[in-house]
């Protein structure tokens, strides 16, 4: 078999392949065996019909067609391997010449990974925002803790914002009761916006036993998205009483003895969370900076698939949340055209990032061990709400393991780039990322070194009697 490569663009090539007829013999034999299993010829057992009889009864052309269909994928794969083509996606194959007992000639156009020239990435500079923790953020965390230890007390007054109420709901459409939209004894905090649009406004000012009807749209069922009339009846009103934030509360709600110690711990936890957010911003900033320095052509077919996959994923998420695409556009303050343009840009950037990180991983000889892959699968399973075993089985059955391995390798490539970059915050301070731990705290290099040294020190031999 002979094959050559013709470059059509930075992201597409054409393979031209010529195959001697005798190399098709295994596929021809397989075609005869397959057809022999499908036909019935008097005097011959099924599957034992000789090739010459098949040629007489069925014809040579169907045999050649089946043989070609069997051979082309193997021949194409061999040509890709022989020419070291970094193919992406499915090829467009065209049989340009083939007659019985003559050479087969075909061409295959396929998208390929573009050749990328990486600049010197050592000392790459990027900037992130400062870590800032406001008094309001601390108070918000403290209030959330106080609410966990608060008490609900019945009150004889009209409903006010933040009250906890018990209510009944009854929805109708054109005067007809909607059976699946009836509820009694629901607990609800006014102002949370967790049930129906317009509910918060309807209940404000009502007292226990009073009702009000308002127009809204249901978020599920056969009438999802349609205007319906909903009657809400308040049956009980309670207000939340929060404990004072003092030393007694600190001792009850935490392991600390004083309110100031608890408040300091809240600040520390917020700082750790902000460090992790800053680390994420640093990764984004480094990758964004690299993409401005590298020219990365994007294959059109791959871009089309990526856009379609992202759109499908968004539509699934909107379906789970009960939001229409029009409502989503309104919430994002985008037109359809703006959304499409933004989706295409994000898809292009994602593909470019994958190409760059794959090249970095190749140059740094990065790989994945079993433990790293297992940890990645566990994280995926947690996000999907299934057990790791279930997710792993799904990955194997759907050939997703190579994709998962690629995700881990790209993550390691990005970590390498970030760790070797110079990251500063808006105030000009260098951001330390090498010793940042998953909980947002910093590792102690001296302590780690001492631990490693202790592990390497050989144990003393026991004294001989």
């Amino acid at each position: 078999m002979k094959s050559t490569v013709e470059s059509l663009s930075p992201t597409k090539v054409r393979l031209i392949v010529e195959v001697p007829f005798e190399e098709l013999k295994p596929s021809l034999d397989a075609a005869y065996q397959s057809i022999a299993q499908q036909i019935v010829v008097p005097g011959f057992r099924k599957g034992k019909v000789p090739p010459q009889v098949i040629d007489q009864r069925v014809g040579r052309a169907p045999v050649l067609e089946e043989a070609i269909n069997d051979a082309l994928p193997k021949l194409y794969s061999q040509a890709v391997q022989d020419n070291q083509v970094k193919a992406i996606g499915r090829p467009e194959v065209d049989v340009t010449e083939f007659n019985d007992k003559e050479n087969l000639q075909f061409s295959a156009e396929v998208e390929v990974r573009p050749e990328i020239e990486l600049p010197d990435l050592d000392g790459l500079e990027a900037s992130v925002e400062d870590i800032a923790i406001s008094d309001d953020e601390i108070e918000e965390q403290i209030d959330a803790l106080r609410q966990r230890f608060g008490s609900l007390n019945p009150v004889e007054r009209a409903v006010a914002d933040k009250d906890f109420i018990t209510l009944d709901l009854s929805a109708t459409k054109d005067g007809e009761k909607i059976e699946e939209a009836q509820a009694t004894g629901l607990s609800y905090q006014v102002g949370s916006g967790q049930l129906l649009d317009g509910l918060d406004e309807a209940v404000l000012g009502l007292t226990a036993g009073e009702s009000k009807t308002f127009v809204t749209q249901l978020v599920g069922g056969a009438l999802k998205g349609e205007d319906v009339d909903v009657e809400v009846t308040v049956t009980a009103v309670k207000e939340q009483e929060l404990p004072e934030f003092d030393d007694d509360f600190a001792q009850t709600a935490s392991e600390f003895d004083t309110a100031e110690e608890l408040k300091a711990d809240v600040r520390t936890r917020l700082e750790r969370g902000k460090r992790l957010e800053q680390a994420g911003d640093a990764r984004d900033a480094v990758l964004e900076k690299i993409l401005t320095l590298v020219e990365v052509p994007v294959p059109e077919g791959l871009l089309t698939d990526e856009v379609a996959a992202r759109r499908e994923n968004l539509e699934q998420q909107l379906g789970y949340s009960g939001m229409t695409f029009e409502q989503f556009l309104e919430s994002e303050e985008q037109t359809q055209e703006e959304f499409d343009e933004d989706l295409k840009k994000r898809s292009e950037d994602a593909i470019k990032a994958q190409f760059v990180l794959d090249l970095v991983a190749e140059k740094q000889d990065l790989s994945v061990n079993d433990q790293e892959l297992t940890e990645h699968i566990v994280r995926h399973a947690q996000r999907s709400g299934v057990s790791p075993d279930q997710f792993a089985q799904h990955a194997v059955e759907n050939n997703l393991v190579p994709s998962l391995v690629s995700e881990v390798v790209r993550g390691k490539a990005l970590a390498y780039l970030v760790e070797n970059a110079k990251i500063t915050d808006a105030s000009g301070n260098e951001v330390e990322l090498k010793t940042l731990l998953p909980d947002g705290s910093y590792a102690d290099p001296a302590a780690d070194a001492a631990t490693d040294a202790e592990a390497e020190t050989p144990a003393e031999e026991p004294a001989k009697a």
Side-chain angles (χ1 to χ4, degrees):
M1 186 182 81
K2 300 177 182 178
S3 61
T4 58
V5 180
E6 176 186 349
S7 178
L8 302 178
S9 76
T11 61
K12 197 169 191 177
V13 300
R14 177 188 292 123
L15 284 163
I16 301 173
V17 184
E18 182 175 354
V19 185
F21 185 80
E22 55 267 22
E23 291 188 19
L24 300 177
K25 187 177 185 307
S27 294
L28 280 169
D29 293 342
Y32 276 118
Q33 291 177 5
S34 174
I35 294 174
Q37 293 290 341
Q38 301 173 37
I39 63 175
V40 177
V41 178
F44 297 94
R45 288 181 296 165
K46 191 172 185 178
K48 300 296 183 180
V49 183
Q52 60 270 25
V53 176
I54 292 177
D55 288 343
Q56 294 172 356
R57 291 297 185 98
V58 179
R60 178 74 164 173
V63 177
L64 293 175
E65 181 178 359
E66 185 157 339
I68 290 296
N69 290 337
D70 175 74
L72 279 178
K74 305 170 188 174
L75 296 171
Y76 164 75
S77 296
Q78 185 63 47
V80 166
Q81 183 177 348
D82 291 345
N83 293 276
Q84 298 182 337
V85 173
K86 298 177 180 178
I88 299 173
R90 294 183 178 181
E92 296 180 7
V93 178
D94 179 31
V95 177
T96 54
E97 186 176 332
F98 180 61
N99 293 304
D100 193 5
K101 299 182 181 179
E102 295 182 4
N103 290 355
L104 163 68
Q105 293 185 11
F106 71 92
S107 65
E109 294 186 8
V110 65
E111 290 186 326
V112 295
R113 287 180 174 272
E115 295 295 328
I116 304 172
E117 290 294 330
L118 287 179
D120 184 6
L121 299 176
D122 289 335
L124 190 73
E125 296 183 1
S127 179
V128 293
E129 294 296 326
D130 291 337
I131 289 179
I133 299 173
S134 67
D135 291 340
D136 288 343
E137 288 177 295
I138 295 176
E139 290 301 321
E140 183 179 344
Q141 293 293 314
I142 290 174
D143 285 344
L145 185 58
R146 291 170 64 204
Q147 287 173 9
R148 288 171 53 189
F149 289 85
S151 57
L152 296 178
N153 302 319
V155 291
E156 298 287 337
R157 60 166 173 75
V159 175
D161 192 30
K162 305 301 182 185
D163 279 346
F164 286 80
I165 62 176
T166 305
L167 51 80
D168 299 336
L169 293 174
S170 177
T172 59
K173 175 72 172 179
D174 299 329
E176 296 290 331
K177 184 180 292 187
I178 305 171
E179 293 300 331
E180 67 269 24
Q182 310 293 313
T184 59
L186 290 178
S187 297
Y188 180 71
Q189 184 179 21
V190 181
S192 64
Q194 304 255 319
L195 284 178
L196 296 170
D197 287 341
L199 177 61
D200 289 325
E201 295 79 3
V203 298
L204 287 173
L206 298 181
T207 58
E210 290 186 330
S211 302
K212 189 172 183 179
T213 299
F214 63 101
V215 178
T216 189
Q217 292 185 337
L218 299 180
V219 296
L223 298 178
K224 175 182 176 181
E226 295 188 24
D227 286 344
V228 297
D229 296 315
V230 176
E231 182 184 50
V232 56
T233 301
V234 176
T235 59
V237 182
K238 297 179 182 180
E239 66 179 3
Q240 188 176 44
E241 182 179 353
L242 301 181
E244 290 295 325
F245 183 67
D246 53 21
D247 293 348
D248 289 339
F249 174 75
Q251 294 167 17
T252 300
S254 70
E255 70 271 27
F256 300 102
D257 293 327
T258 68
E260 285 306 312
E261 290 174 337
L262 175 55
K263 189 172 184 178
D265 182 68
V266 169
R267 174 179 286 278
T268 298
R269 292 177 183 274
L270 284 172
E271 285 178 350
R272 290 181 177 181
K274 296 275 188 177
R275 284 183 201 141
L276 295 177
E277 291 177 8
Q278 191 182 60
D281 292 340
R283 288 191 291 270
D284 293 342
V286 168
L287 196 53
E288 185 177 345
K289 184 67 175 288
I290 292 174
L291 292 182
T292 65
L293 301 175
V294 183
E295 184 68 27
V296 186
V298 176
E300 284 298 322
L302 189 60
L303 177 59
T304 299
D305 292 343
E306 181 70 15
V307 169
R310 286 174 175 254
R311 186 185 296 275
E312 182 181 357
N313 184 52
L314 173 62
E315 290 173 350
Q316 288 179 347
Q317 292 178 352
L318 293 177
Y320 295 146
S321 65
M323 182 183 292
T324 65
F325 185 69
E326 290 72 21
Q327 290 172 329
F328 168 77
L329 290 178
E330 184 178 351
S331 68
E332 295 293 313
E333 298 182 351
Q334 282 186 321
T335 64
Q336 177 73 56
E337 292 74 19
E338 290 171 338
F339 169 80
D340 290 340
E341 184 178 348
D342 180 59
L343 180 61
K344 182 178 179 181
K345 175 67 167 57
R346 286 187 284 112
S347 299
E348 284 180 334
D349 288 346
I351 293 171
K352 290 178 180 179
Q354 289 178 6
F355 287 155
V356 169
L357 293 176
D358 287 344
L359 184 56
V360 171
E362 180 182 329
K363 289 184 176 296
Q364 297 302 320
D365 197 24
L366 300 178
S367 60
V368 180
N369 59 41
D370 290 343
Q371 181 179 349
E372 290 168 334
L373 180 58
T374 299
E375 291 172 352
H376 191 60
I377 288 174
V378 170
R379 287 192 292 270
H380 264 290
Q382 290 172 341
R383 288 196 294 268
S384 302
V386 298
S387 71
D389 288 343
Q390 288 176 310
F391 187 88
Q393 182 178 354
H394 172 77
V396 171
E397 292 174 350
N398 293 273
N399 195 30
L400 298 178
V401 174
S403 177
L404 293 172
V405 170
S406 295
E407 289 176 6
V408 178
V409 171
R410 289 167 186 157
K412 295 177 74 171
L414 182 54
Y416 166 82
L417 293 174
V418 173
E419 288 180 1
N420 289 276
K422 182 180 179 181
I423 313 294
T424 56
D425 62 22
S427 298
N429 302 309
E430 189 167 348
V431 178
E432 173 58 45
L433 294 175
K434 288 186 178 181
T435 60
L436 187 64
L437 298 175
D439 66 351
S441 63
Y442 289 117
D444 183 350
D448 290 345
T451 301
D452 293 341
E454 183 178 342
E456 294 174 3
T457 301
E460 295 184 3
E461 293 186 6
K464 295 181 179 180

